[in-house]
Amino acid sequence: MQCRDRIHQALSFLSFAFYPKTTLIACTVFSWIIIVILGAAMTVIPRGSGFYDLVFALTTGAVGSSIVSLVVELSSNYKHNKLAFHQLRDYYNTVLDHELYKQVLMQQTPSQRAEKKAREEFEAAGGVEDSSPYDQPQDIIQITWERLPSLMPVFKATLQDQKEFLSDGEIDELESIVSEYKQIHDILSRHLMRSPLLYDALNHPDEGYLQSLYPADVLQNMPDWVRHHLASTESQKACSRYVEAILSDGFLLAAFTKDLDISQKGLVDNRQELDRREEEQEAQPAEDWDEDDFDSQDFLEPEDEEAFRAQVEQTNRELNQQSRPFVSWLISDCCQCIARSIDILEKYIAQKPYYGLMIRHTQNVAREPLSGIFAQTAYRFEKKRLDKKLARQKGSAPRQ
């Protein structure tokens, strides 16, 4: 049993020696071109001559070198690809899980399509189904946005630590993903920091935190302005950690961005809203705009700190409200670009051994016909449930 398992494992990794094919094909073609040329020269050179012996020796050496170079290349490929298989396991699994997750949320699996067919027949027969928002398929932007907290740590780590095992195309796409995510990070940071959080970090930092960083005698002799500056710096660092915690947690991210419309529909609607605002601003005369702008501002200085704080909070709320269409559009556009890059990464992975077979199989699941056993089973169960529900709605006995 142990011997058979070892043989099976060795055969499963045998394909590692034949990737990439380009190098092997190039070496083989070049070697055989030289051999053919030398062979053709041997046919026209008289035998027994010194030049014939020289060409014959070169031909023999070319054949031997081609075999040696092929064996060396196969061995090098095997070692490199096997090491890449272990080093890039998290990266491969993350892309594979994303493809599975995407098909489930877009309701593209055979079982889900079979259940959808049963519901369509139920509605065509006059049945009424109570639909839940969770039952509706999500678009690719919503799925990518939801998956970002789990995707980005792996993509960043792979690009930073395992770049030597990636192809040039994969590196380009991962760099594009990281660049798009940086735009999301920056715009969300500004959106989240428009609150009393940043105001207090700048103006009312927790100076008591410095007691854990400096001895008491140093704090006692430290000037007040230095103590305030150091405390403000530490508070701003804490604000950055707070934002990072939100961006790296799916639950927190969804809660703090629930008012944003990050979806395919939101991408179109928010783009139209931004274009409408731009057209209105261009159509408005400059002198009228200036007058309205000045009239809408309150230049009276607040009487005390509390009034100033309240004014800052109100301004931040208005800025968040006004910038919501732009923030939603920008995040949706970045998520769409990230989704396209992930699709390209899947194409690169599909060319590689082992995981290429798995990713191709996963992609083919969405195109499987509904005649499969899993689809048929899901269809029968859903059909039976809906038939009973239809019979209750119509007040008749369920059919057998």
Side-chain angles (χ1 to χ4, degrees):
M1 180 66 69
Q2 186 177 4
C3 181
R4 186 176 63 181
D5 292 341
R6 289 181 178 179
I7 294 175
H8 177 73
Q9 183 178 5
L11 291 176
S12 64
F13 285 97
L14 182 62
S15 59
F16 283 15
F18 298 91
Y19 178 83
K21 301 177 182 178
T22 306
T23 307
L24 295 174
I25 294 174
C27 292
T28 303
V29 170
F30 178 77
S31 299
W32 281 104
I33 289 175
I34 301 298
I35 293 172
V36 169
I37 294 175
L38 293 174
M42 289 177 61
T43 59
V44 298
I45 298 175
R47 294 192 177 187
S49 63
F51 191 61
Y52 178 86
D53 294 337
L54 176 61
V55 173
F56 180 79
L58 290 175
T59 305
T60 306
V63 173
S65 340
S66 64
I67 296 175
V68 171
S69 64
L70 183 62
V71 172
V72 170
E73 189 65 28
L74 289 174
S75 177
S76 176
N77 285 349
Y78 178 80
K79 292 179 180 178
H80 181 271
N81 290 327
K82 188 174 181 180
L83 181 59
F85 170 80
H86 294 288
Q87 295 292 332
L88 298 178
R89 181 172 297 177
D90 290 341
Y91 163 65
Y92 291 148
N93 286 330
T94 298
V95 177
L96 183 61
D97 291 343
H98 176 73
E99 177 63 27
L100 291 170
Y101 199 87
K102 179 175 65 176
Q103 290 186 14
V104 171
L105 290 186
M106 296 181 74
Q107 297 186 2
Q108 294 179 343
T109 64
S111 299
Q112 290 173 315
R113 287 187 284 120
E115 293 175 353
K116 180 180 179 181
K117 179 182 177 182
R119 287 193 293 270
E120 290 175 351
E121 294 176 357
F122 168 75
E123 293 175 357
V128 178
E129 179 75 354
D130 297 330
S131 60
S132 171
Y134 299 100
D135 296 332
Q136 299 299 322
Q138 297 186 12
D139 58 51
I140 189 61
I141 292 179
Q142 293 172 313
I143 296 171
T144 305
W145 170 244
E146 185 176 336
R147 294 279 295 167
L148 279 184
S150 58
L151 291 174
M152 293 312 303
V154 177
F155 286 165
K156 288 181 178 180
T158 302
L159 184 61
Q160 181 178 357
D161 302 330
Q162 313 296 341
K163 188 178 292 186
E164 65 272 18
F165 300 109
L166 301 171
S167 63
D168 292 340
E170 288 177 294
I171 294 175
D172 292 339
E173 295 304 325
L174 286 174
E175 288 179 345
S176 175
I177 290 174
V178 173
S179 176
E180 296 292 340
Y181 181 75
K182 187 177 184 303
Q183 294 189 56
I184 296 176
H185 179 278
D186 293 343
I187 193 67
L188 272 183
S189 296
R190 291 194 293 269
H191 189 72
L192 293 173
M193 295 297 280
R194 290 197 189 108
S195 67
L197 182 72
L198 183 60
Y199 176 81
D200 287 337
L202 294 173
N203 299 280
H204 302 288
D206 182 13
E207 298 184 6
Y209 177 75
L210 297 179
Q211 296 177 1
S212 61
L213 302 177
Y214 297 93
D217 55 343
V218 175
L219 286 176
Q220 182 179 359
N221 294 281
M222 185 180 294
D224 293 340
W225 67 272
V226 174
R227 187 186 304 110
H228 181 84
H229 174 74
L230 293 177
S232 178
T233 302
E234 295 298 329
S235 294
Q236 292 177 61
K237 293 179 181 178
C239 289
S240 299
R241 293 195 299 269
Y242 173 71
V243 173
E244 289 293 339
I246 294 175
L247 293 175
S248 60
D249 188 279
F251 174 77
L252 295 178
L253 189 59
F256 277 90
T257 58
K258 61 183 179 181
D259 295 331
L260 301 178
D261 187 5
I262 304 173
S263 63
Q264 192 71 46
K265 182 178 181 298
L267 179 66
V268 177
D269 293 345
N270 288 304
R271 181 69 267 176
Q272 293 176 351
E273 174 65 19
L274 293 175
D275 292 340
R276 184 188 63 80
R277 290 185 180 182
E278 184 176 355
E279 292 176 357
E280 290 179 353
Q281 185 174 357
E282 291 177 354
Q284 185 178 10
E287 58 274 8
D288 293 343
W289 183 87
D290 292 338
E291 183 179 353
D292 293 341
D293 182 63
F294 277 99
D295 290 342
S296 63
Q297 301 295 328
D298 184 8
F299 292 101
L300 297 178
E301 294 186 2
E303 297 179 356
D304 52 20
E305 172 68 17
E306 291 299 326
F308 182 71
R309 177 188 174 90
Q311 187 179 25
V312 170
E313 292 181 12
Q314 179 63 25
T315 303
N316 287 333
R317 282 194 296 268
E318 292 177 357
L319 287 174
N320 274 342
Q321 183 68 24
Q322 294 175 1
S323 64
R324 187 175 298 167
F326 175 74
V327 175
S328 300
W329 170 80
L330 180 61
I331 295 177
S332 298
D333 185 65
C334 291
C335 286
Q336 188 177 61
C337 295
I338 291 175
R340 292 171 182 170
S341 296
I342 294 177
D343 289 340
I344 298 176
L345 289 178
E346 290 182 4
K347 294 180 180 179
Y348 283 109
I349 296 176
Q351 301 173 5
K352 298 184 178 180
Y354 186 76
Y355 276 104
L357 179 63
M358 296 178 64
I359 197 79
R360 288 195 299 271
H361 171 73
T362 304
Q363 291 172 341
N364 291 334
V365 167
R367 296 186 289 269
E368 288 183 2
L370 298 182
S371 57
I373 182 173
F374 293 106
Q376 288 295 315
T377 302
Y379 175 79
R380 286 196 299 269
F381 275 101
E382 187 69 7
K383 182 68 173 175
K384 184 177 180 181
R385 183 185 72 84
L386 293 175
D387 282 346
K388 293 180 179 179
K389 185 173 183 178
L390 181 62
R392 289 194 300 268
Q393 291 179 358
K394 291 186 176 182
S396 61
R399 62 185 180 182
Q400 300 296 327

